[in-house]
Amino acid sequence: MNVSIFIPCFIDQLYPSVAFNMVKVLEKVGCKVHYNANQTCCGQPAFNAGFWEESKAVCAKFLKDFEGSDYIVAPSASCAGFVRNYYNKLFTKGEAASVQSRIYEFSEFMVKVLKVEDVGARFFAKATYHDSCAGLREIGIKSEPRQLLSKVEGLQLIEMNDVETCCGFGGTFAVKFEPISIAMADQKITNASATDAHYIISTDMSCLMHLDGCIKNKKSGLKVLHLADVLANF
Amino acid sequence: MTDTAATFIAKSTIKAPDLTHRRTINFNIGRYNAAVPGGKQQFDQLMLARERAKNRKWLAIESLDKSLERFEQHITARGAKVIWAETGEQALKEIEAICKAKGCKTLVKSKSMVTEEIHLNKYLESIGIESVETDLGEYIQQLDEEPPYHIVTPAMHKNKEEIARLFADKFGTLPTLTPEQLTLFARQQLREKYTKAEIGVTGANFIISDIGGVAITENEGNARLSCAWPKTHIVIVGIEKVIPSINDLALFWPLLSTFGTGQKVTTYNTIIAGPRQADETDGPEEMYVILLDNGRTNLLANAKTREALYCIRCGACLNACPVYKNIGGHTYGTTYSGPIGSVITPHLKGMNEYKHLSYASSLCGNCTEVCPVRINLHELLLENRHEAVDEGDSTKAESFSWKLWKIASLNRRMMNLGNGKLKNAFINRVFKSWTQHRADLRFSDKTFNQMWKEKRLNHRGTKGTA
């Protein structure tokens, strides 16, 4: 199966290993992975800030970069959800329809399209799974990442309290309203720590980037891992 | 940044890390969260009920002029007087005129967010009229000289010990009184006020268009006493509260109570369709209904945000909002707090001054998920942000940054410029509010894009798109 990957801007810049791990997993399950090296960003940052005109220019580039008929897979529910649910606010009906129908979040693609749950990964650790808001409410995944994780040998997954509550990232919100964002992260980290897990796993590196920053500042021993980082352990 | 925004940030900086506040709110909202699933059991098809409710509100709001005129026509036929008030000041003047005509010295009122919106108590006090809140939570807030903390549960932020101390300070009661004893004490005080008051003021949960009535929902019976005992009843209600038909209450009453408090149906539900009629034994001699606009038609005129007028003020979005739970109701500095407040306040009171509320959200979408009438709250926050930018309300620095962002995002080569060290030094220095309570960001030495090209493309001897 031909898969065109979209690597979100912050993963491109900060966490390339997450992208490589997703590629590794996709290739293991038989996908032919394509990467259009012209790609940049889905346009969400400016859109969420209210700068729709600037956003639209970048979204238009995204549509062009992902022309064709391949599935588009991204290691981010936030970006995939944005393209799927918000491009219609910028483009007239139909302009974005093809891309919107082909774009998937990584775990959603694995379970719903490829019908794969067991990738043969092994990871001996205790972990808790953080539902990203975009995963839950924009893409509508709850069981998919858990199904994948349940098949990882050695992984003990423990659910935390208030698992569906936002971690407090929210893009520029994390900077503009720093005290609120930090307070939200504080509760997320407290709930995660209470499970005795060593790792917080999620589909979204944006949540994890924010949580990791707070975890390190608090000097808590928790570590964050993208779902692809766990599944690529084979 | 406006003063209002600066105050919001200052207050949230204090409230967000306040662990005592966090415990109290989480405890009280936790009780609510535990009750709501029970209430939902009464719906066979909850989503259908919610969509139907949204559809009925859509109908009422899309034909708001006709809906309200039908209401007016029917209720005036039974002797009530309808007053259309465009602003809060107009509403206050009308109430003052009625109070003067009736020689009112004491007025009892039930809980009503609209009276908070126009600051009725303060105004009445300034013209020498005693206004007594009769909802227990509001009564507590009035004693403590605080506005309501939550649109449904006004004293949610106070625990029972604090309330006992407040009563002890104000009335000299024992500071060890239990909630039951405190309630009985408040009831004794209030009963006296009901018998004395010349006028009763209530809000309304619904304006019923087809029969010309208002519906009031409450748990304490105080609203019923407030409108039944005094000789004059004044209803003050926002124009958006209209529903097309009395038959819609079968849908809206259970939705309001389930999403508001987790009850199947609220304890007291009253329909009032005019003052006491000739063949009736009780009820007020006169009834006035003040239909208040006060900025609501701004929302109506704006097709994108109009659906915010569907709100039935159940408070579910407040209870679901992690921002509300961390900063509390008072930090907003507005009558309506939480997600719905952040959506409507910029339209009611000015985009430039209140746009910060639309940005003070992580856009988690939980508000939209819980709204009984399916208002797309988090999307409306995005619409507000867009409107603020379109109006030119953003700073030059911000506009400039997004222009730069656009240039960089349209140019892959620019995104590969520099190395990790350079980016670390720059970003971690510029975004101080990122690093204040978070470790520094660590950029990769090379982007994925560069690494992919090196590893995959060059290896295969191809260039450009793989």
Side-chain angles (χ1 to χ4, degrees), chain B residues 25-198:
Chain B
I25 298 314
N26 282 341
F27 175 75
N28 284 324
I29 293 184
R31 284 201 308 193
Y32 160 88
N33 286 337
V36 170
K40 285 183 179 172
Q41 296 291 320
Q42 68 182 317
F43 295 94
D44 269 351
Q45 296 181 61
L46 181 59
M47 189 51 92
L48 191 67
R50 292 166 68 189
E51 274 165 4
R52 171 92 177 154
K54 181 173 192 172
N55 186 262
R56 296 303 285 171
K57 283 302 290 188
W58 168 82
L59 183 66
I61 297 295
E62 287 298 313
S63 56
L64 188 59
D65 50 347
K66 292 191 187 73
S67 306
L68 290 172
E69 279 168 3
R70 196 175 310 129
F71 162 80
E72 181 183 31
Q73 189 197 339
H74 284 107
I75 201 162
T76 44
R78 279 186 302 272
K81 296 178 187 76
V82 173
I83 297 163
W84 299 70
E86 212 169 308
T87 63
E89 291 75 39
Q90 278 178 23
L92 291 171
K93 291 287 173 208
E94 295 287 353
I95 294 170
E96 181 179 1
I98 300 166
C99 287
K100 289 222 164 113
K102 306 294 167 197
C104 175
K105 290 187 193 68
T106 303
L107 177 154
V108 283
K109 66 181 288 288
S110 72
K111 190 180 126 29
S112 142
M113 289 310 293
V114 168
T115 59
E116 291 295 327
E117 179 183 330
I118 64 171
H119 306 293
L120 178 61
N121 286 347
K122 209 172 119 197
Y123 189 78
L124 290 172
E125 198 189 328
S126 76
I127 55 170
I129 294 169
E130 183 193 24
S131 172
V132 184
E133 293 289 348
T134 61
D135 171 89
L136 184 58
E138 284 289 3
Y139 182 67
I140 292 165
Q141 287 306 93
Q142 190 180 28
L143 283 179
D144 210 10
E145 293 169 34
E146 267 191 341
Y149 178 92
H150 185 284
I151 61 175
V152 174
T153 329
M156 180 189 264
H157 59 309
K158 290 188 165 76
N159 60 35
K160 56 185 192 290
E161 290 78 18
E162 286 169 320
I163 296 166
R165 272 200 301 278
L166 176 68
F167 275 52
D169 282 353
K170 300 286 174 182
F171 301 110
T173 50
L174 286 171
T176 50
L177 291 188
T178 63
E180 290 75 18
Q181 289 169 322
L182 290 165
T183 307
L184 277 177
F185 180 82
R187 179 184 281 183
Q188 281 162 8
Q189 305 291 310
L190 289 171
R191 285 288 149 113
E192 228 175 88
K193 300 291 182 189
Y194 288 122
T195 55
K196 257 173 65 182
E198 295 87 1

Side-chain angles (χ1 to χ4, degrees), chain A residues 12-13 27 35 37 39-40 48-49 52 86 89 137-138 166 174-176 178 181 186-187 210 213, chain B residues 22 326 359 362 364 369 378-379 383 385-386 398 409 412 415 423 433 437-439 444 448-449 456:
Chain A
D12 176 65
Q13 299 284 329
E27 287 181 339
Y35 172 71
Q39 63 179 264
T40 53
N48 285 2
W52 291 15
Y86 295 88
K89 289 201 181 277
R137 289 178 277 267
E138 299 290 348
C166 177
V175 181
K176 281 190 171 174
E178 192 258 5
S181 170
D186 190 47
Q187 287 156 86
H210 156 69
Chain B
R22 196 183 285 177
N326 275 287
Y359 285 95
S362 62
C364 79
E369 180 137 321
H378 72 299
E379 283 193 33
E383 291 285 356
R385 295 178 185 190
H386 178 218
E398 203 181 357
S409 301
R412 182 63 242 188
M415 287 184 69
K423 290 176 193 165
S433 14
H437 292 101
R438 301 181 189 93
S444 167
F448 172 81
N449 192 274
R456 301 269 183 139

Side-chain angles (χ1 to χ4, degrees), chain A residues 123-128 154-158 195-200:
Chain A
F123 190 69
F124 294 88
K126 220 187 241 187
T128 190
L155 183 67
Q156 191 189 347
L157 206 63
I158 309 152
T195 64
D196 273 335
H198 298 118
Y199 295 92
I200 304 180

Side-chain angles (χ1 to χ4, degrees), chain B residues 20 90 97 144 186 247 266 302 361 418:
Chain B
T20 312
Q90 278 178 23
D144 210 10
N247 295 321
T266 315
N302 186 332
S361 162

Side-chain angles (χ1 to χ4, degrees), chain B residues 212-224:
Chain B
V214 296
I216 302 174
T217 289
E218 44 143 356
N219 272 314
E220 297 169 19
N222 63 302
R224 202 173 270 184

